[in-house]
Amino acid sequence: MKTEKKMKRLFRGLAALFLCGTLLTGCAVPGGTGSTGSKEQHYTGAHLCMGTVFSADLTSSQEDPITTLTEMGNALEQTISYRIDTSEIAAINASAGDPEGYPVSEELAETLEKALEISEKSSGAFDPTLGALTTLWKLDEGAADPEHYNLPAREEIESARNLCGYQKVRLEEGRIYLPAGMRLDLGAIGKGIYLNRAKLLFEGPYTRGIISAGGSILTLGQKGEPPESAPWNIGITNPLDPDGLCGMIEVRGGMCISTSGDYERYVERDGVRYHHILDPATGYPVSSPYGSVTILCVNGLLSDALSTACYVMAATDPERAIELAHSYEAQILLIDREGNTTGDLKLLKLP
Ligand code: ADP
Ligand code: MG
């Protein structure tokens, strides 16, 4: 991705996230004494990971949380990115078609099981096996350099679509079996997995603040110190004008918020927007009356997978998208092209 584009996304990400206060990169400001006995400090930092901006604004008595998060994010990317040749996902993809399958680590097996369950429950709207399609569309590269982007041909899309399909994956006794040509792509849940790990590392009395990974956010503790603590205000990007916000949601600590929309990475051709969320049923980017879908729940993998799944489903059946979110005890907010909202997650006015 071009640096200019990355910087634009960095600033947009940070503006959307930090409604209150400014973000300084990689600095710590001394504060009071934390409950661990060590000094509580204010930490902020941002780095590029999984092709997007990860950032954090934390008050913590744990040592150097920013470095811990950066290292954890990088290590996770090294495991789950199909783009990294040495990753576990790349090895699984390379084994596609092998009747012996491939041994999968316990942690990744658990993640894949959950991902396949969400595929099933969303009738394939979310599908982690779309690698053949996503690499054909190359919409990340296209969005970075739209002038030189060539749309794939219909026949190519059809052939790639035949290599996808969560029902064709077998995950048994620690081994995964993919049919020949299938490629896993965990792009829709990578950030959520990261937030779950961050939650495990930092949830508790010693850290409060916000951790952001692209379109997904984790809240920790309460804003401010008692008795003035308050819920967090999380800005929601305006899908009609993604450089700004259209409102905010109020969120307590320990929650994960993910937004999927068609405004993040796209190329336009003849008035059609080709963006990075694909409809597995057609092989084409989703064409939707909704600009974005936001999910709020306690689990990052779920919020991330559901925001993608519900974005796809809402295009044809918003009621089913809402039902799916509720079946996972998640709240949902849909924003349409006129800025109207639907769902039980309330969009509040900006202060
Ligand atoms: P973002 O990555 O911008 O937060 P999403 O979480 O919605 O957005 O994930 C989009 C990414 O997931 C795409 O870049 C692609 O790699 C992959 N993807 C696209 N469509 C689907 C889908 N229907 N199901 C699962 N993964 C998808
Ligand atoms: Mg997602």
Side-chain angles (χ1 to χ4, degrees):
M1 198 190 307
K2 295 249 169 69
T3 313
E4 194 187 314
K5 199 99 181 176
K6 276 187 180 168
M7 290 315 288
K8 204 173 164 204
R9 188 174 295 167
L10 171 71
F11 288 124
R12 189 193 291 168
L14 298 183
L17 172 60
F18 296 97
L19 275 175
C20 328
T22 44
L23 185 98
L24 306 166
T25 301
C27 74
V29 185
T33 304
S35 323
T36 53
S38 60
K39 258 228 167 358
E40 195 174 74
Q41 295 197 359
H42 183 212
Y43 296 90
T44 58
H47 75 288
L48 290 171
C49 191
M50 301 185 193
T52 187
V53 182
F54 283 25
S55 61
D57 185 337
L58 302 170
T59 299
S60 180
S61 52
Q62 281 174 255
E63 213 173 299
D64 200 359
I66 301 296
T67 303
T68 307
L69 283 168
T70 305
E71 287 173 356
M72 185 271 283
N74 290 340
L76 178 62
E77 187 177 17
Q78 293 294 326
T79 309
I80 63 167
S81 172
Y82 71 83
R83 292 185 174 90
I84 299 175
D85 289 347
T86 49
S87 75
E88 197 176 345
I89 289 292
I92 291 172
N93 286 346
S95 80
D98 185 341
E100 299 291 314
Y102 190 83
V104 60
S105 67
E106 213 172 297
E107 207 166 17
L108 188 58
E110 230 175 79
T111 299
L112 292 172
E113 259 168 38
K114 196 74 200 162
L116 294 171
E117 176 204 297
I118 299 165
S119 302
E120 182 89 43
K121 285 192 68 171
S122 67
S123 310
F126 166 82
D127 191 330
T129 71
L130 299 188
L133 271 173
T134 52
T135 48
L136 173 67
W137 277 99
K138 289 192 186 69
L139 282 158
D140 289 348
E141 289 163 40
D145 188 11
E147 269 169 45
H148 297 102
Y149 180 74
N150 291 317
L151 287 175
R154 184 171 289 278
E155 308 78 63
E156 291 178 298
I157 295 167
E158 239 352 90
S159 318
R161 204 170 73 83
N162 286 329
L163 302 172
C164 305
Y166 70 96
Q167 310 97 322
K168 301 178 201 161
V169 177
R170 260 196 317 131
L171 187 57
E172 280 168 9
E173 290 166 20
R175 297 189 86 80
I176 188 161
Y177 304 82
L178 304 185
M182 178 177 276
R183 299 276 177 270
L184 300 182
D185 173 359
L186 301 191
I189 51 172
K191 290 148 233 151
I193 301 169
Y194 165 83
L195 292 185
N196 277 352
R197 293 197 180 177
K199 196 172 172 182
L200 279 178
L201 286 170
F202 294 111
E203 193 171 39
Y206 308 123
T207 305
R208 60 180 189 278
I210 287 178
I211 297 174
S212 153
S216 291
I217 288 166
L218 165 69
T219 56
L220 291 164
Q222 294 271 299
K223 191 169 74 187
E225 287 184 65
E228 264 128 59
S229 358
W232 300 100
N233 296 330
I234 304 296
I236 302 297
T237 300
N238 184 354
L240 313 174
D241 174 14
D243 288 329
L245 303 175
C246 59
M248 61 177 199
I249 55 172
E250 231 178 42
V251 183
R252 66 176 165 83
M255 300 302 285
C256 297
I257 305 103
S258 298
T259 299
S260 288
D262 65 356
Y263 53 82
E264 261 311 322
R265 301 167 197 215
Y266 63 85
V267 182
E268 271 170 339
R269 283 284 182 287
D270 303 324
V272 178
R273 180 176 290 192
Y274 295 92
H275 63 94
H276 74 318
I277 304 175
L278 302 176
D279 182 350
T282 63
Y284 281 79
V286 180
S287 170
S288 178
Y290 294 97
S292 75
V293 171
T294 298
I295 298 283
L296 170 73
C297 66
V298 293
N299 183 295
L301 188 155
L302 263 184
S303 67
D304 204 2
L306 288 176
S307 69
T308 308
C310 293
Y311 188 81
V312 176
M313 284 172 106
T316 49
D317 195 345
E319 284 309 316
R320 270 203 71 211
I322 294 171
E323 264 170 42
L324 176 70
H326 291 174
S327 75
Y328 279 104
E329 291 177 18
Q331 287 181 268
I332 182 168
L333 166 70
L334 298 103
I335 305 179
D336 74 12
R337 309 267 170 217
E338 275 78 51
N340 302 310
T341 60
T342 317
D344 58 327
L345 182 57
K346 292 293 162 239
L347 187 67
L348 307 174
K349 286 212 170 77
L350 292 167

